[in-house]
């Protein structure tokens, strides 16, 4: 009886709610499915566009900065690809249409990179790498990806690539590029953010929309690369564990600090790490022959969009935007003076 009463009450509430004043348009399921298919294709194209821009901007930096990351260098084809096999259901259909059918399709090739110099082009179908075929079965595709991963960290500098272009099959020898081994990854988040985790560089869609100029995006990527090259993640974790000694000692006496000292120690040099990443990032940009003049304006744009970042706060994890603008401007002057005086253009590190 209680269930019946609640059901009646729910019906009464719905009928009593205010309703729209117009009639909703009617459409059949076929029309809805067709429009959903169009939108999935548009979304997939937009994703490829974001990825292409991110790769095109980041690759010259990763390649030219390899002299600054001698312990983290990997081999690279200078190209990226995608396959509809990585997508399920309706998204598989959309990817299949955009990528020109099944198989592994080249979606981006770095200008002047290893793949480009060997003749690889966008829309080529990769048949095999070092004789390991991509294939149609998941098991075979895993072997293909395993070989690509092996090449990335191998001591050799060459790889064999078999591609199909139209009806023509080409066997190419690739002289691999050497780059900093920190992949730049696109995040679907709309937040204006970018971060490094010690292994990767993650750039959100929100940041890519904010950094509409490629110079701005280069500054962001070079900054995050600086975090990884300078081992900021490991240093932060080391500081955390050092502070946690106090937390553990307090716990032995029955005091629950809730990780206060560990978290405090982890934040001790947070602003300094951010400033250092800004500093070395400009040297990475210079190594890639990217223009530095005007890069500091990124922080004026950020301040205009997020005024809360203007004021200095010692408790904040990042320096204020005026500090970052001035520090970047002075770093550009430092680099310019080194060029003028014929000095090595490398960051000034503590002895």
């Amino acid at each position: 009886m209680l269930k019946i009463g609640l059901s009646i009450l729910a019906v009464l509430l719905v009928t009593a709610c205010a309703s729209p004043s117009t009639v909703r348009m009617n459409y059949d399921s076929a029309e809805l499915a067709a429009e959903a298919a169009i939108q999935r294709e548009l979304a997939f194209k937009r994703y490829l566009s974001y990825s292409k821009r991110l790769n095109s901007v980041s690759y010259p930096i990763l390649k030219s900065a390899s002299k600054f990351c001698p312990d983290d260098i990997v081999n690279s084809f200078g190209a990226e690809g995608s396959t509809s096999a990585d997508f399920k259901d309706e998204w598989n259909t959309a990817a299949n249409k955009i990528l020109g059918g099944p198989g592994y399709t080249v979606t981006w090739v770095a200008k002047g990179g290893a793949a480009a110099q060997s003749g690889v082009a966008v829309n080529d179908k990769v048949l095999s790498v070092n004789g390991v075929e991509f294939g149609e079965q998941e098991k075979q595709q895993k072997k293909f990806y395993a070989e690509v991963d092996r090449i990335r960290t191998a001591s050799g500098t060459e790889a064999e690539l078999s591609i199909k272009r139209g009806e023509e099959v080409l066997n190419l020898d690739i002289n691999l590029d050497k780059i900093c081994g920190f992949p730049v990854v696109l995040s679907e988040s709309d937040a204006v953010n970018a971060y490094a985790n010690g292994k990767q560089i993650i750039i959100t869609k929100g940041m890519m929309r904010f950094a509409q100029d490629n110079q701005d995006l280069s500054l962001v990527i070079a900054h995050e690369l600086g975090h990884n090259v300078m081992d900021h993640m490991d240093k932060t974790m080391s500081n955390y564990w050092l502070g946690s000694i106090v937390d553990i000692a307090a716990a032995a006496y029955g005091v629950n600090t809730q990780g206060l000292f560990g978290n405090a120690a982890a934040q001790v040099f947070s602003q300094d790490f951010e400033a250092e990443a800004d500093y070395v990032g400009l040297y990475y940009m210079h190594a890639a022959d990217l223009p530095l003049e005007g890069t500091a304006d990124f922080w004026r744009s950020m301040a205009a969009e997020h005024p809360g970042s203007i004021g200095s706060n010692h408790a904040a994890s990042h320096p204020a935007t005026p500090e970052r603008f001035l520090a970047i401007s002075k770093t550009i002057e430092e680099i310019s003076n080194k060029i003028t005086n014929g000095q090595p253009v490398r960051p000034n590190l503590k002895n």
Side-chain angles (χ1 to χ4, degrees):
M1 291 295 294
L2 178 60
K3 291 183 178 180
I4 295 174
L6 289 174
S7 298
I8 294 173
L9 179 60
V11 171
L12 291 173
L13 284 172
V14 170
T15 55
C17 289
S19 63
S21 301
T22 59
V23 179
R24 188 171 178 176
M25 290 294 177
N26 291 321
Y27 40 80
D28 59 39
S29 58
E31 290 176 306
L32 183 61
E35 179 57 29
I38 291 172
Q39 293 186 17
R40 277 188 287 270
E41 290 171 16
L42 290 172
F44 193 78
K45 287 180 180 179
R46 181 68 60 87
Y47 169 79
L48 290 179
S49 176
Y50 275 118
S51 297
K52 180 180 179 180
R53 181 185 174 215
L54 191 59
N55 287 326
S56 296
V57 174
S58 65
Y59 198 78
I61 299 172
L62 295 176
K63 185 177 178 180
S64 299
S66 59
K67 62 184 178 182
F68 297 109
C69 59
D71 297 328
D72 298 293
I73 293 177
V74 298
N75 297 315
S76 174
F77 287 94
E80 293 287 344
S82 186
T83 174
S84 58
D86 290 339
F87 302 88
K88 305 300 180 183
D89 303 323
E90 293 92 343
W91 286 103
N92 177 273
T93 302
N96 218 26
K97 182 175 180 179
I98 302 303
L99 295 175
Y104 191 84
T105 305
V106 177
T107 56
W108 167 81
V109 178
K111 183 178 180 181
Q117 292 186 25
S118 297
V120 178
V122 172
N123 293 327
D124 285 345
K125 293 286 186 180
V126 179
L127 302 179
S128 67
V129 174
N130 285 347
V132 180
E133 295 182 356
F134 181 76
E136 297 181 0
Q137 302 301 317
E138 183 178 356
K139 184 177 180 180
Q140 182 59 37
Q141 292 170 8
K142 287 182 177 179
K143 291 181 179 179
F144 174 88
Y145 290 130
E147 178 60 16
V148 172
D149 287 340
R150 187 198 66 78
I151 291 171
R152 189 169 182 268
T153 56
S155 57
T157 59
E158 296 182 352
E160 297 176 359
L161 201 65
S162 178
I163 62 172
K164 187 175 183 180
R165 183 177 300 159
E167 297 301 319
E168 184 181 13
V169 174
L170 303 172
N171 296 310
L172 306 174
D173 292 324
I174 311 290
N175 291 314
L176 302 166
D177 290 332
K178 296 289 185 181
I179 68 171
C180 287
F182 302 110
V184 182
V185 180
L186 177 66
S187 165
E188 292 288 333
S189 172
D190 289 322
V192 180
N193 194 21
Y195 57 96
N197 60 15
K199 296 181 179 180
Q200 296 177 323
I201 295 168
I202 298 89
I203 309 293
T204 66
K205 281 186 174 180
M207 175 57 80
M208 293 193 68
R209 285 193 289 267
F210 177 78
Q212 294 185 14
D213 189 280
N214 283 349
Q215 184 185 49
D216 290 343
L217 185 57
S218 295
L219 181 69
V220 173
I221 292 169
H223 168 90
E224 299 304 336
L225 177 60
H227 279 310
N228 284 343
V229 173
M230 303 306 289
D231 294 322
H232 289 166
M233 305 307 111
D234 289 341
K235 290 177 180 178
T236 298
M237 186 56 65
S238 177
N239 292 341
Y240 170 80
W241 287 116
L242 185 63
S244 294
I245 294 175
V246 180
D247 293 319
I248 294 170
Y253 287 93
V255 179
N256 183 4
T257 63
Q258 298 183 333
L260 174 65
F261 292 96
N263 291 327
Q267 293 297 315
V268 167
F269 292 108
S270 177
Q271 289 197 21
D272 295 293
F273 288 156
E274 293 297 331
E276 183 172 71
D278 282 347
Y279 176 70
V280 298
L282 289 167
Y283 279 87
Y284 304 159
M285 289 181 66
H286 169 74
D289 291 325
L290 297 174
L292 299 183
E293 291 301 322
T295 52
D297 290 337
F298 173 84
W299 292 109
R300 286 181 172 174
S301 298
M302 183 65 74
E305 189 71 21
H306 302 281
S309 64
I310 298 173
S312 298
N313 183 349
H314 293 296
S317 61
H318 291 61
T321 49
E323 297 177 82
R324 301 184 84 164
F325 178 92
L326 293 174
I328 286 176
S329 297
K330 290 184 180 298
T331 302
I332 293 173
E333 290 180 15
E334 177 182 286
I335 292 173
S336 179
N337 288 335
K338 287 180 179 179
I339 295 171
T340 301
N341 297 326
Q343 298 175 323
V345 186
R346 300 183 69 90
N348 297 330
L349 302 180
K350 295 178 182 178
N351 294 327

